[in-house]
Amino acid sequence: MGRLVMKFGGTSVANIERIGNVARHVKREVDAGHDVAVIVSAMAGKTNELVEWCREDSAMHDAREYDVVVASGEQVTAGLLAIALQTIGVQARSWQGWQIPIKTSDAHASARILGIDGGELVHRFQDRKEVAVIAGFQGINPQTGRITTLGRGGSDTSAVAIAAAIHADRCDIYTDVDGVYTTDPRIVPKARRLERISFEEMLEMASLGAKVLQTRSVEIALLYRVPVRVLSTFDADAGGTLLCDEEDIVEKKPVTGIAYSRDEAKITLLKIPDQPGVAAAIFGPLADSGVNVDMIVQNVSEDGRRTDLTFTVARSELSRALDAIEKAAPQIGYKEISADANVAKVSIIGIGMRAHPGVAQTMFRTLSDKGINIQVISTSEIKVSVLIAEEYVELAVRALHSAYELDTA
Ligand code: ASP
Ligand code: MG
């Protein structure tokens, strides 16, 4: 007997019949004697529709009202699942973010969870064996009292944060795939499900483009050591993937997984002065406009006076970035600027990399054998990322998957 958080994504609650199926999953755990908190997403496609409505209403809409609109999808599924549970004889009550409350920052549309009081939920487990059905993705800012949302994919974060707050023994993320794969199976049919992945690796995978879990949810899992399992709603016996401590992984291959992201754009500033303060003059205005810069390379100047600098931003932020740079042009003093939105980032990730020399070299050789040019490189202890032309993403991912022997178990 223990305490469990179960999270169900959009496809798992896509219609009333599937919500009934989810209710049966929950009943199974309740019958096994567990205290259960369920976190639900909006029905598949619902959030996209709500986002689109805001955009149609006005391209420059108020983010506070955007949150009011998009948070509604989860409200609907929470109520529907509570009804479905009651119908099959399970005590259940729905909760909106503000009712718990899930306190967040006031960064509307991408708020961060600041704290959750799990007291009342735990009390109800003990008193009435009542299942809590919680709307994912949403919270409340305590200063303004307004509804906030956690960014796309944010229900994962709601689930892991609730698990940490109520000291759950495990957080099960039910989705439409049966776990975390070595890479995207739509690109590499031979991709394999991982039995286990370390928190650190999953964090890199998520932030470098794997879409299974929201990055922030993995950060919280790592911070509070919440055991997270990713498994399929439609085939719960398929095994799933467990996120765990590094020490709990016996076989450490040099590379565990390959991620890619097409949401990339590259900006190059030519002939900037090679002197102190120039990087600050470039990245200051970008930060002020809320643009996140990812990879950066600066060349060595030939004459000691001028050099070139390249950096990447999210493709969706490209025009905002160019705006900020062009406004700061007099302070920066570049001669030319160029932008390229047809780039993508491919990354290899693995804790085994620390102990295996030559891992990056295999990546570079594999790409060069395929005639793929590397534009920018960045590394950390457990990952190597390269920026390449977008048209080569699939070729690169496939070639790397076999080069690191991930095709075979
Ligand atoms: N419904 C929200 C979204 O699509 C949150 C989630 O499903 O995680 O982004
Ligand atoms: Mg998701």
Side-chain angles (χ1 to χ4, degrees):
M1 254 183 15
R3 191 170 292 161
L4 215 57
V5 166
M6 305 172 79
K7 183 255 166 177
F8 293 89
T11 39
S12 309
V13 293
N15 54 44
I16 299 298
E17 190 193 327
R18 289 193 184 172
I19 290 176
N21 177 48
V22 166
R24 286 188 292 277
H25 274 300
V26 175
K27 185 172 186 322
R28 185 191 68 228
E29 300 293 6
V30 171
D31 289 346
H34 301 305
D35 293 337
V36 182
V38 192
I39 282 77
V40 286
S41 290
M43 291 171 155
K46 192 70 211 174
T47 310
N48 286 345
E49 182 182 53
L50 296 169
V51 169
E52 197 43 47
W53 284 350
C54 291
R55 235 177 250 148
E56 266 179 50
D57 207 1
S58 163
M60 300 298 288
H61 51 254
D62 184 329
R64 286 163 292 199
E65 302 308 339
Y66 165 95
D67 275 351
V68 171
V69 176
V70 300
S72 67
E74 275 72 11
Q75 171 160 347
V76 172
T77 36
L80 289 172
L81 180 58
I83 293 173
L85 284 165
Q86 291 166 358
T87 308
I88 57 172
V90 177
Q91 282 253 58
R93 186 57 65 212
S94 71
W95 296 83
Q96 303 303 298
W98 62 268
Q99 289 172 307
I100 292 188
I102 297 176
K103 294 183 200 146
T104 76
S105 69
D106 67 351
H108 285 277
S110 58
R112 285 171 77 91
I113 295 178
L114 303 174
I116 298 176
D117 184 354
E120 181 61 20
L121 300 181
V122 171
H123 183 72
R124 286 173 179 239
F125 291 150
Q126 288 160 351
D127 252 33
R128 346 180 175 169
K129 277 276 157 208
E130 184 181 274
V131 171
V133 184
I134 301 165
F137 186 47
Q138 46 161 280
I140 183 173
N141 175 254
Q143 272 80 45
T144 61
R146 300 209 61 91
I147 294 176
T148 54
T149 64
L150 308 176
R152 299 304 306 271
S155 302
D156 298 332
T157 300
S158 310
V160 178
I162 291 278
I166 64 173
H167 305 286
D169 297 295
R170 205 175 62 229
C171 179
D172 284 343
I173 308 267
Y174 285 85
T175 176
D176 50 0
V177 290
D178 62 353
V180 179
Y181 275 65
T182 47
T183 193
D184 185 347
R186 285 168 305 183
I187 290 191
V188 185
K190 284 183 186 159
R192 287 175 307 104
R193 177 174 60 83
L194 297 160
E195 288 283 331
R196 287 164 179 249
I197 186 169
S198 73
F199 291 118
E200 286 84 356
E201 287 170 321
M202 192 62 232
L203 191 56
E204 294 283 8
M205 290 278 275
S207 68
L208 294 168
K211 300 244 161 52
V212 220
L213 292 173
Q214 198 194 35
T215 306
R216 185 69 190 132
S217 73
V218 188
E219 285 172 7
I220 297 175
L222 172 66
L223 197 62
Y224 295 95
R225 290 296 196 267
V226 180
V228 173
R229 210 162 51 133
V230 178
L231 67 173
S232 163
T233 312
F234 307 105
D235 187 6
D237 300 326
T241 299
L242 183 71
L243 273 60
C244 60
D245 279 326
E246 209 176 305
E247 297 76 54
D248 299 327
I249 295 177
V250 186
E251 192 213 6
K252 298 183 176 69
K253 284 187 165 194
V255 171
T256 303
I258 299 169
Y260 67 91
S261 157
R262 298 179 195 271
D263 182 23
E264 308 287 330
K266 179 180 81 166
I267 297 176
T268 300
L269 300 180
L270 293 168
K271 299 204 178 343
I272 55 169
D274 192 9
Q275 65 193 37
V278 172
I282 296 167
F283 297 115
L286 288 169
D288 293 342
S289 338
V291 174
N292 258 316
V293 174
D294 179 20
M295 308 165 105
I296 303 174
V297 273
Q298 184 182 324
N299 288 342
V300 176
S301 63
E302 272 173 43
D303 56 3
R305 293 215 294 274
R306 291 205 168 257
T307 182
D308 306 329
L309 185 132
T310 296
F311 59 91
T312 65
V313 298
R315 203 174 287 175
S316 51
E317 294 183 348
L318 177 59
S319 54
R320 202 141 42 94
L322 288 173
D323 245 30
I325 293 291
E326 277 156 14
K327 281 206 190 91
Q331 289 77 43
I332 304 169
Y334 58 85
K335 286 267 158 39
E336 256 177 74
I337 181 167
S338 70
D340 183 356
N342 296 313
V343 290
K345 184 167 66 174
V346 175
S347 310
I348 54 169
I349 295 130
I351 44 174
M353 221 173 265
R354 298 195 192 110
H356 290 84
V359 174
Q361 173 52 20
T362 302
M363 180 181 208
F364 304 150
R365 201 194 51 235
T366 305
L367 295 175
S368 103
D369 287 349
K370 296 287 177 195
I372 300 172
N373 186 40
I374 299 172
Q375 305 181 11
V376 184
I377 302 171
S378 76
T379 65
S380 81
E381 219 187 349
I382 62 164
K383 68 115 202 236
V384 182
S385 299
V386 295
L387 195 75
I388 61 174
E390 186 183 0
E391 57 186 311
Y392 297 123
V393 170
E394 306 200 350
L395 177 62
V397 171
R398 276 191 211 111
L400 292 168
H401 199 266
S402 50
Y404 290 107
E405 294 171 6
L406 296 173
D407 292 348
T408 48

